[in-house]
Amino acid sequence: MLNRSILKKGLFSYRSYHPSLKEYVKPATLSPLTYNKESVQYKILSNALTKWVPKHGFKEKAITDSLNELGFSSSLLSVIGASNSPAIFRSISPAVMELIKFQLVSKRYELTENLCPDTTPKNELPSLESLLLKRLEMDKAIGKQIPHLFAELATPSSFLFDVALPELHRLSDDMIYFSNEKDHHDMAWYTKRLGVSCAYVSSKLYMAQDNSRDFEDTLSFAKDKLHRIMKLGEYYNNTEEYAWYMFMVSTNLVRARLARS
Amino acid sequence: MTAELQQPKGNHRYQEPSQARMLKIPYNSTLSSGIRSFSVLSGLRATTIEPSNTNHPKSQSHLKNDEPTVKHANLSNAQKAYLDRAIRVDQAGELGANYIYAGQMFVLLRKHPHLKPILTHMWEQEVHHHNTFNALQLKNRVRPSLLTPFWKVGAIAMGVTTAAISPEAAMACTEAVETVIGGHYNEQLRVLTNQFELDKTDGTRGVPKEVRKLINTIKEFRDQELEHLDTAIKNDSKEAVPYKIITEGIKGICRIAVWSAERI
Ligand SMILES: [Fe+2]
Ligand SMILES: [Fe+2]
């Protein structure tokens, strides 16, 4: 049973049909978040993320400090985490889970905010590489917190399958859709997305240990990695165990799904 | 015209190539010229002259000029999931059809050149169907079927094998495939017309334009599939030996394929 729900929430649920934006009223929430940009939650969490996470990391303290600064009662902490069930085997609080989810989702939306592939000619869209670099640059401020963030994200748990992996796939899907990268009707659709995920995760891993000025090394690593994956099909390198792990998880989802039918 | 001469007698409903070419207008131009879709809307437009402007001045202010002023409520998750599956399975199905005809033509054209215009005509329509759903898959960001490589191989194999038995067997294959596809499209049309009425900001209800476009596309394709079915029967599909085994077997395969392409 657990397996089945993991499968449903993994690769296969990660994004369904995207309606044409013009025809509908603006969605009430920033899916998969349960609130929108104008909400109190959004204000509290984005303030926590920009101001307090660089200082305290992804900890409850970052949220409470943000609550205090904005003049809210710290009892709101339980409201913030309300959409997450408490983790059974881990010490992470639901509010911190929400903060991590918020960091992944809000930055993904921010990355493509002003792009509209529906109306822009393909060749005027940014390149895949520039979107990848832009996304990495967005995390410069929390560079010191990345190892901890990774530890939380990579722990095998429902959080990994319900939030972290689907978000990773959505990010890769967005980077391809909103860039001038050619998209595909067959297996290349999957391999391209896995390739981008792989490049992103390994660059993030690199970033976690990068001491160069302004993360210059990370950015050139990312460029090189993306090139090697997309042009040379080099998905796996011994030093990138985590990327390999992610890749395996994704392909195992696919394989298990096939075996089930 | 050559096509008509080579048809078996009594084939008065066979479509002439010139007419067929008219049907092959690229997807966007057929629908955005929108004669059919507007006729659906005109009734609604007439009853809701201006109220939207007075009731919702705020929601209008930020819109760009090319955006419709009356908006729909958002599609539910179930509706999005349905469209997702519909586009994936239709794309896979049209890919299959495209490759089946390609396989048949590969075998039949040399030995039975008189079938060329019929097969070419049907194949060209399938290519157009396939391209249309390919475009929709990318536009709406639907993931393609994971079994795509399998559909390709399977469809070519099906085309080649049936054609290798006899031209009649190839026609029986077409008959079976189009029967299932025709039924499948009708089922989709039923759901799309009945289950996609949404509230609009002007207080009325209606089916969103993109869904109406999809309905029109599927209707057009369904009609062409049924035309293929007629063509197959007129070309002696019923004389295929063994008719029952071929048609029932292929129908079974198609139903399994539809089921799995929706999901995987
Ligand atoms: Fe077709
Ligand atoms: Fe057909």
Side-chain angles (χ1 to χ4, degrees):
Chain A
M1 279 321 271
L2 178 69
N3 252 354
R4 261 183 99 161
S5 72
I6 286 174
L7 289 175
K8 271 194 188 146
K9 286 163 182 167
L11 183 60
F12 282 85
S13 66
Y14 75 88
R15 258 203 166 174
S16 57
Y17 182 90
H18 285 58
S20 114
L21 293 174
K22 285 181 193 166
E23 281 192 62
Y24 306 90
V25 291
K26 232 172 128 198
T29 65
L30 219 51
S31 159
L33 301 179
T34 50
Y35 38 84
N36 61 21
K37 269 191 150 176
E38 281 73 44
S39 64
V40 179
Q41 286 105 311
Y42 194 99
K43 277 186 199 110
I44 295 167
L45 289 171
S46 82
N47 185 55
L49 194 60
T50 48
K51 265 200 187 154
W52 299 103
V53 169
K55 216 181 251 172
H56 307 308
F58 289 88
K59 297 270 164 58
E60 236 166 48
K61 182 116 180 41
I63 308 172
T64 40
D65 278 4
S66 171
L67 284 170
N68 291 339
E69 185 194 357
L70 297 174
F72 292 108
S73 148
S74 37
S75 63
L76 272 181
L77 201 61
S78 58
V79 177
I80 299 248
S83 63
N84 302 308
S85 46
I88 304 170
F89 303 112
R90 307 167 63 196
S91 56
I92 184 172
S93 82
V96 173
M97 280 192 218
E98 190 61 32
L99 179 62
I100 294 177
K101 194 200 284 183
F102 177 83
Q103 119 95 8
L104 300 175
V105 177
S106 64
K107 287 191 177 168
R108 171 168 61 80
Y109 276 105
E110 200 187 318
L111 179 66
T112 58
E113 221 165 25
N114 299 314
L115 300 171
C116 185
D118 250 0
T119 50
T120 322
K122 196 89 177 153
N123 57 7
E124 286 171 27
L125 289 166
S127 70
L128 179 60
E129 184 189 281
S130 68
L131 284 184
L132 176 70
L133 297 184
K134 188 176 161 200
R135 180 64 188 83
L136 290 169
E137 282 172 4
M138 285 162 82
D139 282 348
K140 274 181 185 173
I142 57 157
K144 292 277 166 297
Q145 316 301 340
I146 289 177
H148 175 228
L149 177 65
F150 254 72
E152 295 293 6
L153 286 176
T155 315
S157 64
S158 60
F159 191 72
L160 172 66
F161 294 105
D162 291 355
V163 178
L165 274 179
E167 260 315 303
L168 175 63
H169 287 298
R170 283 186 202 118
L171 178 66
S172 315
D173 190 43
D174 273 8
M175 285 187 194
I176 294 168
Y177 178 74
F178 287 96
S179 70
N180 59 16
E181 188 69 26
K182 178 183 174 2
D183 209 346
H184 303 270
H185 310 295
D186 51 14
M187 295 312 283
W189 189 95
Y190 293 89
T191 48
K192 197 164 251 183
R193 278 154 184 78
L194 285 173
V196 175
S197 299
C198 198
Y200 177 69
V201 171
S202 44
S203 306
K204 255 329 187 7
L205 269 188
Y206 192 98
M207 197 173 189
Q209 303 149 0
D210 186 2
N211 290 318
S212 64
R213 197 171 50 85
D214 217 17
F215 295 102
E216 278 167 352
D217 290 355
T218 299
L219 298 181
S220 58
F221 173 87
K223 269 189 213 169
D224 182 52
K225 186 70 195 169
L226 186 70
H227 172 79
R228 277 187 288 146
I229 287 178
M230 304 306 273
K231 295 284 171 342
L232 312 174
E234 183 189 298
Y235 286 86
Y236 177 46
N237 175 326
N238 261 327
T239 57
E240 287 137 18
E241 304 247 339
Y242 185 76
W244 178 238
Y245 170 61
M246 291 300 236
F247 181 76
M248 285 305 291
V249 170
S250 324
T251 45
N252 274 331
L253 288 177
V254 171
R255 219 181 297 145
R257 177 87 180 192
L258 289 180
R260 196 165 66 87
S261 58
Chain B
M1 285 301 110
T2 48
E4 204 171 53
L5 291 175
Q6 284 161 355
Q7 285 296 304
K9 56 188 160 129
N11 188 15
H12 53 283
R13 274 160 69 197
Y14 177 75
Q15 224 168 11
E16 292 176 18
S18 57
Q19 203 182 343
R21 219 154 280 135
M22 278 168 50
L23 290 167
K24 272 182 278 158
I25 312 162
Y27 169 70
N28 279 328
S29 66
T30 328
L31 295 160
S32 57
S33 67
I35 296 159
R36 263 181 290 176
S37 43
F38 269 102
S39 66
V40 178
L41 240 193
S42 55
L44 295 170
R45 284 267 162 86
T47 55
T48 60
I49 313 155
E50 289 296 66
S52 63
N53 280 335
T54 48
N55 287 345
H56 301 276
K58 260 193 181 163
S59 67
Q60 316 275 314
S61 55
H62 67 281
L63 300 180
K64 288 177 227 139
N65 348 335
D66 60 330
E67 294 200 5
T69 44
V70 178
K71 301 230 171 189
H72 288 270
N74 282 287
L75 292 163
S76 72
N77 283 341
Q79 286 168 327
K80 280 192 231 168
Y82 184 85
L83 291 171
D84 192 59
R85 268 183 288 145
I87 290 179
R88 174 163 47 259
V89 70
D90 292 352
Q91 181 192 30
E94 295 299 352
L95 171 129
N98 178 356
Y99 279 58
I100 288 175
Y101 284 113
Q104 289 184 348
M105 288 171 74
F106 177 74
V107 175
L108 289 179
L109 286 195
R110 215 170 310 153
K111 275 196 200 157
H112 307 275
H114 70 282
L115 290 174
K116 189 176 179 182
I118 308 168
L119 288 174
T120 316
H121 169 70
M122 296 197 289
W123 183 55
E124 280 174 353
Q125 288 189 329
E126 297 302 353
V127 170
H128 168 59
H129 298 176
H130 186 199
N131 290 341
T132 306
F133 279 108
N134 277 349
L136 282 172
Q137 177 241 324
L138 290 190
K139 181 171 171 288
N140 294 303
R141 306 178 64 182
V142 172
R143 67 173 177 84
S145 170
L146 245 185
L147 302 180
T148 304
F150 177 77
W151 302 138
K152 284 185 188 168
V153 177
I156 292 185
M158 191 185 273
V160 168
T161 330
T162 51
I165 298 175
S166 65
E168 291 77 26
M171 291 301 165
C173 169
T174 304
E175 184 195 325
V177 171
E178 303 296 8
T179 307
V180 175
I181 299 292
H184 165 77
Y185 276 153
N186 275 332
E187 167 70 20
Q188 281 190 348
L189 287 171
R190 196 177 58 75
V191 176
L192 290 173
T193 13
N194 295 333
Q195 312 280 326
F196 282 77
E197 281 230 323
L198 299 170
D199 288 330
K200 301 206 292 189
T201 47
D202 62 359
T204 60
R205 280 170 72 79
V207 179
K209 194 170 162 202
E210 63 174 348
V211 178
R212 291 200 311 270
K213 272 186 181 179
L214 183 63
I215 290 174
N216 289 336
T217 307
I218 294 179
K219 267 186 194 154
E220 181 195 330
F221 291 0
R222 190 247 350 243
D223 292 346
Q224 292 177 356
E225 308 299 8
L226 295 180
E227 205 183 286
H228 299 172
L229 176 61
D230 284 353
T231 311
I233 294 175
K234 270 167 212 143
N235 285 280
D236 308 325
S237 67
K238 304 271 185 209
E239 276 154 43
V241 183
Y243 174 76
K244 259 270 164 323
I245 295 178
I246 295 177
T247 49
E248 290 310 313
I250 289 175
K251 278 182 200 169
I253 293 172
C254 291
R255 289 195 190 102
I256 295 170
V258 165
W259 188 88
S260 31
E262 279 178 343
R263 290 163 178 81
I264 301 179

